[in-house]
C-alpha cells in the first residue's frame, strides 16, 4: 500500500467532510477521481476498497461509489479517545494542557509556575485595574498597544535589528503570529521547510494549512546548509520556519557561517523565513540571528512572552517588512478583530519594563544552568545520551539506550501520570523514534525518574 | 470592462503572490488560463492587458506573458493609503480601530467606554492580581477556563439550550470562534450564505477563507425563507452565518416561523449554521434562537463579551456538538496554542458573576431605548428613513434621502474626523449603497450631526 493510496483516501475523506456529503450521496467515478488527482485508476480502486473496509464508502453494482455513513468532521490527525489517541503532535499538547493537577510534566514546553515572575505580573495586573476606562473596554489600535511595540522595537534595535514600532504587530500569541504569516504567504499545496526535528506544533499548524512539510536535518550548529539548498532546489518551498536561539527541541544554536549560508540559499530560491524567538531571553549571550543579518527583507521575526513571563496573559508579536505588516494587520482584523488584548499587552509591557524582570531572568538562567547539568548527569547514568549540550533553555534532547521506542515509553508513562514528549512528534521524517525531549525544570518529582527507569527496564510495555 | 475581467486579474495576482513568482517568471498562456478559469480567451487577453498597464506583467513577442516585477503580498482587498483606501469592510474596521482619540465614531460597532461596566472590570482585575501562581502563568486547559464554561452552560440552559460545559470551547474572540469553525467546515471554493446585509467583518473573514459568499435578502423578521431555500438549492452551501437576536446591521429580530423554515431548509440541504449571539444581552426579552430550536445538531452558537463587558479583555466562545468541539479544540491548539487567556477568561467570569453586571445591563438597555428614539426622530427630520424599528441594541439601519451615496458621505465625513459605516460594506450584493448604519450611543458629539447634514446638503462632495 503506497503513499499515493493514503493521499487518495485523505482526498476522499476531505471531499466528504468538506462537502458535507451524507450517507447515500454519490462519490466521483474511479476514472474522474484518477484524473482530478493525477493518479492511476488502480490507486483509486485500492483507496476506495480500503475506505469501504473502514465502512466509510460502499459500492453499488453498476452504479458507482457512495458514502456509507455521514462522517464526523475531518480531524487534523488521528483523534480517538485520549488513551487510544495516536502519538502525534496533538498528543503532547493535549496531555500537557489537560494534565491532572498532580501530573508530572517533563514533556511539556514551559516552566513551572514557581519559576515565573509572578510578583511583577501581580504588580502589572493591579496597575491594569487602575487604567483608564477606554483601555479597559475598547478594542485598541489595529497593530496593538503602542508602548509595548515601542519597547520591543528598542529591544530589537539593541540587538542589531533596527526597525521602528510600525514594523511590529501584536498578536494573540506566538502561534497565532505564525498562523497569520502562513495565511498571508501560503496556499494549499505549497511546500514549507522546517527543521528535522522541530517544535511539534509547527507540524500541527502547517497541517491545518494543508501544505507539504519537508524537514531539513538539524545539526548542533543549525540546519544543515547543504541539505537546505538541495531541498530548496528540489521542492521550491515558499517558507522556512525555524528558531535560531536555543532550538526547540534540540537546544542547538545557529553558527554565523550556517546563518549566512541559509540566508544565501533562501535569497537564491526566494524563500521567506519565519524566525521564532520565543526562547531568546533564555540565552546567556545572543547568538547570530537570521532576522538581524537579513534586516527583515525576507525574514519575519516572531515571538511571545509565554515562556518567560506568562502563558496565561496571552500576547505575541511579528516584526516584518512594512508591506507585510500592513497585510497581516488586515488579516488579523478579519480573523480575530483587533490585535492582542490591550489589557494583556499592557500587563506584558509593565512586567517587562519592571526592573525586577531582568534580575528575575538572570536568576532563571543560572537556575536552569544548574538543572541542565544535574539532569544530564542523571540521564547519562540510566543510559540516555545527550544529542548536544545546549547553551541555555530548559530542554534536553536525548537518545534512549539501545534504540528504545520513545513512543512506547511515553504511553507507559502516561498511564502513570507522567507526560513525556517522544521524539517522533517533533520529526517530520519520523526518524526520531528513539529520541526524547526532557524539560529539566519539570524533573524534580521523583515519579518522573521512577517511571522513566521502570519504563526503560520493561522496554516500554504497559 | 466586466466583472469577469476583474476576477481574472485577481486570479493572476493571486497566483503571482501565492507562488512567490518573481520578475521574469513565466505566466500561464492565454488559452491555459482561459480553460482553468472557465472564461473566454478574450477575457484573459483583456485582463493581461490591464495588468500590463499596471506594470504587473509584460508580454514578450512570441513567447508569452511574464511577471514584470515582484509583487507586494496580496492584500485581501484593495489596500492603498488610508485616504485612498477603497470603501470595503476593512475601511470601517481600520477607521474605527485607528481613529484619532478625538474622532467621532457613529459608524463603529461598540459602546463608548463610559457606557461599559468598568467598576465590575476593575474589581475582577484586582481579584486576578491575587490569583494563584498557576492561573497567572500557565496556558490553562485546552477548552479554556472551566468556571466560565460552566457559567455559560447554565445561562444557555436557562434560555432553553441544555448543554454541558464540555460543549463549550473558549476562544480568543468571537471573530476567532467563527474563524475556527470556517477552518473546520470549509474548503476553498465552498459557498457560504450570509444575510444581505450582514456584519461587514463576516465578509472580510470569509474572503480570507477563499469561499464564495452569497447573500440571503434580509427582512425585518429574519432572512427571507423562500430565498434561503432557493439559494440552498442553487448553490449547495456548506454553511450559513447569521445573528438572530438584534441582527447587525439592521436591528431585525427573527420570528418563530422564519426560524423554523430556515432550519428545515438547512436540514434538507445539510447546511451547518453559525448563530452569532454577540448582541443577545441587549434584547429586552429573548426572541427565538436557531440553536435552541435545533439543540446544537447543526447550529453552532458563538459569542463574545466585547459589546457588553470589554473588547479589551478578549474572550469568545463556541457551543456546539461534542465531536465538533473536539476537532475545534485541536484546531485552536494548532493555530493559537491553548484557548482564551485564563487571566482574561477569569476576569470575564468574575465580571459576569458580579451582581452589578445584570443591573448595569438593565440600565444600558433603558438608556439605549431612549437614545434609539431620540436619534431616529432626529434622523427623520433630515430625511433619513429607518428600515425597521429594532427591539434593542445600538444600531439604526437607515436609508439616505433621494438615493444618496453612503460611500460618498462616509468619505466626506472621514475628512472631518467622523467615522461612518456606509451600507455597501455590509452588503454582499452591493445593493445597500444608499443605506447607512448609525450607532446611537456614539451620536452625542455635535460634529456628527453637522457633518451628516452638511454632507447630505453637498451631495457628499469632498
Amino acid at each position: 500500500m503506497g503513499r499515493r493510496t493514503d493521499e487518495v483516501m485523505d482526498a476522499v475523506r476531505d471531499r466528504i467532510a468538506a462537502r458535507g456529503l451524507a450517507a447515500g450521496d454519490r462519490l466521483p467515478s474511479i476514472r474522474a477521481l484518477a484524473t482530478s488527482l493525477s493518479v492511476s485508476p488502480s490507486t483509486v480502486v485500492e483507496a476506495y476498497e480500503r475506505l469501504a473496509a473502514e465502512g466509510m464508502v460502499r459500492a453499488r453494482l453498476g452504479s458507482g461509489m457512495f458514502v456509507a455513513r455521514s462522517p464526523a468532521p475531518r480531524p487534523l490527525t488521528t483523534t480517538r479517545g485520549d488513551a487510544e489517541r495516536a502519538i502525534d503532535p496533538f498528543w503532547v499538547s493535549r496531555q500537557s494542557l489537560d494534565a491532572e493537577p498532580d501530573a508530572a510534566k517533563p514533556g511539556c514546553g514551559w516552566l513551572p509556575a514557581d519559576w515565573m515572575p509572578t510578583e511583577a505580573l501581580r504588580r502589572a495586573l493591579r496597575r491594569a485595574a487602575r487604567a483608564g476606562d477606554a483601555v479597559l473596554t475598547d478594542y485598541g489600535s489595529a497593530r496593538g498597544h503602542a508602548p509595548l511595540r515601542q519597547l520591543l522595537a528598542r529591544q530589537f534595535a539593541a540587538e542589531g535589528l533596527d526597525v521602528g514600532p510600525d514594523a511590529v504587530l501584536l498578536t494573540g500569541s506566538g502561534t497565532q503570529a505564525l498562523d497569520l504569516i502562513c495565511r498571508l504567504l501560503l496556499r494549499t499545496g505549497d511546500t514549507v521547510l522546517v527543521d528535522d526535528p522541530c517544535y511539534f506544533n509547527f507540524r500541527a499548524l502547517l497541517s491545518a494549512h494543508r501544505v507539504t512539510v519537508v524537514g531539513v536535518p538539524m545539526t548542533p550548529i543549525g540546519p544543515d546548509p547543504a541539505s537546505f539548498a538541495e531541498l530548496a532546489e528540489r521542492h521550491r518551498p515558499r517558507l522556512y520556519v525555524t528558531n535560531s536561539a536555543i532550538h526547540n527541541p534540540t537546544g542547538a544554536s545557529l553558527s554565523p557561517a550556517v546563518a549566512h549560508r541559509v540566508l544565501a540559499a533562501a535569497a537564491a530560491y526566494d524563500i521567506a523565513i519565519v524566525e521564532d524567538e520565543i526562547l531568546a531571553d533564555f540565552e546567556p549571550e545572543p547568538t547570530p540571528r537570521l532576522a538581524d543579518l537579513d534586516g527583515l527583507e525576507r525574514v519575519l521575526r516572531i515571538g511571545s512572552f509565554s515562556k518567560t513571563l506568562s502563558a496565561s496573559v496571552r500576547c505575541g508579536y511579528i516584526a516584518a517588512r512594512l508591506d507585510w505588516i500592513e497585510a497581516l494587520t488586515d488579516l488579523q482584523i478579519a480573523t480575530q478583530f483587533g490585535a492582542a488584548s490591550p489589557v494583556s499587552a499592557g500587563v506584558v509591557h509593565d512586567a517587562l519594563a519592571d526592573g525586577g524582570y531582568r534580575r528575575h531572568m538572570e536568576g532563571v538562567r543560572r537556575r536552569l544552568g544548574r538543572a541542565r547539568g544535574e539532569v544530564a548527569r542523571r540521564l547519562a547514568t540510566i543510559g540516555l545520551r545527550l544529542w548536544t549540550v545546549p547553551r541555555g533553555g530548559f530542554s534536553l534532547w536525548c537518545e534512549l539506550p539501545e534504540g528504545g521506542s520513545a513512543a512506547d515509553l511515553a504511553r507507559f508513562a502516561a498511564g502513570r501520570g507522567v507526560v513525556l514528549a517522544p521524539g517522533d512528534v517533533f520529526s517530520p521524517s519520523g526518524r526520531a523514534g528513539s529520541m526524547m525531549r526532557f524539560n529539566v525544570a519539570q524533573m524534580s518529582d521523583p515519579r518522573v525518574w521512577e517511571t522513566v527507569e521502570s519504563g526503560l527496564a520493561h522496554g516500554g510495555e504497559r
Side-chain angles (χ1 to χ4, degrees), chain A:
Chain A
M1 153 202 111
R3 214 178 101 237
R4 301 296 279 159
T5 312
D6 282 339
E7 288 170 5
V8 174
M9 291 173 69
D10 279 348
V12 173
R13 286 192 198 101
D14 252 20
R15 195 170 294 219
I16 293 173
R19 301 280 137 196
L21 296 182
D25 284 347
R26 184 192 293 271
L27 289 162
S29 72
I30 288 161
R31 183 182 306 272
L33 194 58
T35 306
S36 84
L37 299 176
S38 306
V39 297
S40 72
S42 65
T43 303
V44 174
V45 168
E46 194 186 357
Y48 270 156
E49 275 173 0
R50 292 182 50 212
L51 287 166
E54 286 181 18
M56 172 73 92
V57 308
R58 66 162 179 275
R60 282 196 208 134
L61 257 180
S63 55
M65 298 301 299
F66 295 81
V67 179
R69 55 179 164 76
S70 283
R74 204 188 60 95
L76 281 171
T77 55
T78 321
T79 310
R80 297 179 213 285
D82 281 351
E84 290 306 307
R85 200 173 173 123
I87 306 259
D88 62 21
F90 291 105
W91 191 85
V92 179
S93 311
R94 284 287 194 106
Q95 293 254 334
S96 303
L97 295 173
D98 288 337
E100 296 297 321
D102 68 335
K105 299 191 281 190
C108 87
W110 54 87
L111 295 175
D114 59 6
W115 289 61
M116 302 296 273
T118 46
E119 281 317 309
L121 280 171
R122 290 179 201 285
R123 278 192 294 275
L125 278 164
R126 286 195 294 269
R127 195 164 161 173
R130 299 190 300 269
D133 285 356
V135 173
L136 286 185
T137 62
D138 271 7
Y139 284 92
S141 67
R143 285 188 191 186
H145 194 257
L148 179 56
R149 290 191 291 116
Q150 282 153 6
L151 184 149
L152 290 173
R154 284 195 301 275
Q155 286 187 354
F156 301 158
E159 294 167 28
L161 177 65
D162 204 3
V163 296
D166 277 357
V168 182
L169 171 67
L170 299 185
T171 61
S173 69
T175 305
Q176 202 206 327
L178 176 57
D179 186 52
L180 284 170
I181 293 166
C182 289
R183 288 182 118 137
L184 180 68
L185 296 178
L186 301 181
R187 295 296 174 271
T188 302
D190 278 350
T191 294
V192 176
L193 297 184
V194 297
D195 301 316
D196 188 0
C198 67
Y199 170 42
F200 58 80
N201 204 57
F202 289 165
R203 297 179 58 210
L205 190 151
L206 291 166
S207 92
H209 286 273
R210 297 168 210 292
V211 295
T212 303
V213 175
V214 173
V216 184
M218 195 66 190
T219 83
I221 54 170
D224 177 56
S227 300
F228 186 95
E230 186 203 320
L231 294 168
E233 166 69 26
R234 196 185 326 155
H235 296 284
R236 301 298 170 132
R238 180 74 188 95
L239 190 66
Y240 168 52
V241 183
T242 189
N243 38 15
S244 306
I246 311 177
H247 178 258
N248 182 2
T250 64
S253 290
L254 194 62
S255 83
V258 169
H260 175 70
R261 289 182 64 188
V262 165
L263 268 184
Y269 293 97
D270 200 17
I271 303 168
I273 298 178
V274 173
E275 191 172 40
D276 180 2
E277 291 286 24
I278 192 164
L279 297 174
D281 280 0
F282 289 103
E283 278 199 313
E285 298 120 37
T287 44
R289 294 296 201 280
L290 298 171
D292 302 356
L293 293 178
D294 169 72
L296 295 191
E297 279 294 313
R298 65 179 59 256
V299 179
L300 303 97
R301 176 184 170 137
I302 67 171
S304 89
F305 315 95
S306 298
K307 310 300 183 191
T308 46
L309 204 59
S310 166
S312 177
V313 178
R314 312 225 65 195
C315 186
Y317 67 81
I318 304 172
R321 287 173 20 191
L322 289 177
D323 57 339
W324 282 353
I325 288 292
E326 188 72 14
L328 290 163
T329 303
D330 275 352
L331 262 174
Q332 184 161 251
I333 289 172
T335 58
Q336 183 82 3
F337 212 80
S341 149
V343 165
S344 297
V347 167
V348 168
H349 172 270
D350 290 356
L352 288 180
D354 188 300
Y357 175 74
R358 189 175 294 267
R359 285 193 304 279
H360 168 84
M361 279 310 296
E362 278 166 18
V364 166
R365 284 191 293 265
R366 276 197 304 275
R367 194 173 167 192
L368 280 176
R370 285 194 301 273
R372 281 196 309 276
E374 285 161 20
V375 169
R377 276 190 292 280
R378 188 155 176 192
L379 287 171
T381 63
I382 55 171
L384 280 87
R385 213 170 42 138
L386 211 57
W387 185 80
T388 190
V389 179
R391 304 178 65 250
F394 43 76
S395 294
L396 294 179
W397 181 241
C398 305
E399 190 173 358
L400 301 191
E402 296 158 23
S405 160
D408 286 350
L409 180 55
R411 265 191 222 97
F412 175 87
R416 282 153 183 79
V418 174
V419 178
L420 292 177
D424 270 350
V425 305
F426 302 91
S427 174
S429 67
R431 283 191 216 119
S434 291
M435 306 300 291
M436 188 75 85
R437 186 190 74 181
F438 289 99
N439 180 336
V440 301
Q442 304 266 10
M443 308 276 283
S444 56
D445 187 326
R447 279 179 304 166
V448 172
W449 295 96
E450 286 159 21
T451 303
V452 170
E453 288 177 37
S454 152
L456 288 173
H458 292 79
E461 298 152 36
R462 277 172 205 236

